[in-house]
Amino acid sequence: MYPRQLPLLLTTSALWFGVAGCAISSMPTSIAETAATTPELSTWNRLIAEAGMTEALRAAGPYTAFAPSDDAFKAVPQATLASLAKDKEQLKLLLQYHLVSGKVATADVKTGPAKTLQGANLALSKSGNFVTVDDAVVTRADMPASNGVVHMIDRVLVPPKR
């Protein structure tokens, strides 16, 4: 190779990789797809499907999901999960208690109540970048979705009894 051709080769290579990188980089997916592709949310994803909420979480939104991690679900008694599996309406209400209308990124969290899709309020609190939702801590924040945002939390939230 001739020394004069090296800059042209490097420029062409950089352009090619830049274009290819754009083609490969992924656009945010819906909340349902984000849950499906996040290994730590496999239980949340399975319950969304069992409750028949997958399509709703692919809809336009925007929504904010406070999604319990698999570790959070391990703390829930198996009898409770089995009961929810049999009662789809209660399962749906539980999952809706983890969803808020509108996109609430960490930077936008204000201490106070946030109305859930289930109808009750969650207590949001923020100190710096530390965010809590009721008695759960956000462990992974601001997972972008085309129809909102997902925040992974360390507990399963239980709606108040009506």
Side-chain angles (χ1 to χ4, degrees), residues 11-157:
T11 302
T12 304
S13 296
L15 258 167
W16 170 250
F17 286 117
V19 170
C22 289
I24 294 171
S25 66
S26 62
M27 295 296 292
T29 58
S30 71
I31 289 172
E33 291 157 337
T34 298
T37 58
T38 304
E40 301 90 348
L41 296 178
S42 64
T43 305
W44 169 257
N45 180 54
R46 178 177 53 80
L47 294 175
I48 287 170
E50 287 177 12
M53 293 177 57
T54 303
E55 288 308 312
L57 292 178
R58 286 185 179 142
Y63 303 107
T64 299
F66 295 103
S69 67
D70 289 346
D71 286 340
F73 279 105
K74 287 178 185 173
V76 175
Q78 287 301 312
T80 302
L81 289 176
S83 174
L84 287 170
K86 294 176 186 172
D87 188 343
K88 301 298 182 198
E89 190 56 36
Q90 286 302 313
L91 175 59
K92 190 172 184 176
L93 289 172
L94 175 81
L95 296 174
Q96 288 174 334
Y97 187 63
H98 292 78
L99 299 166
V100 174
S101 288
K103 181 179 177 182
V104 184
T106 300
D108 303 325
V109 171
K110 295 186 180 7
T111 298
K115 187 127 190 105
T116 68
L117 296 186
Q118 179 263 357
N121 286 323
L122 289 173
L124 300 181
S125 181
K126 179 179 170 188
S127 179
N129 286 332
F130 185 77
V131 176
T132 60
V133 183
D134 282 352
D135 59 350
V137 174
V138 173
T139 57
R140 185 170 167 194
D142 299 326
M143 296 166 39
S146 59
N147 60 343
V149 64
V150 178
H151 302 288
M152 191 180 311
I153 58 176
D154 68 347
R155 291 184 168 217
V156 176
L157 305 173

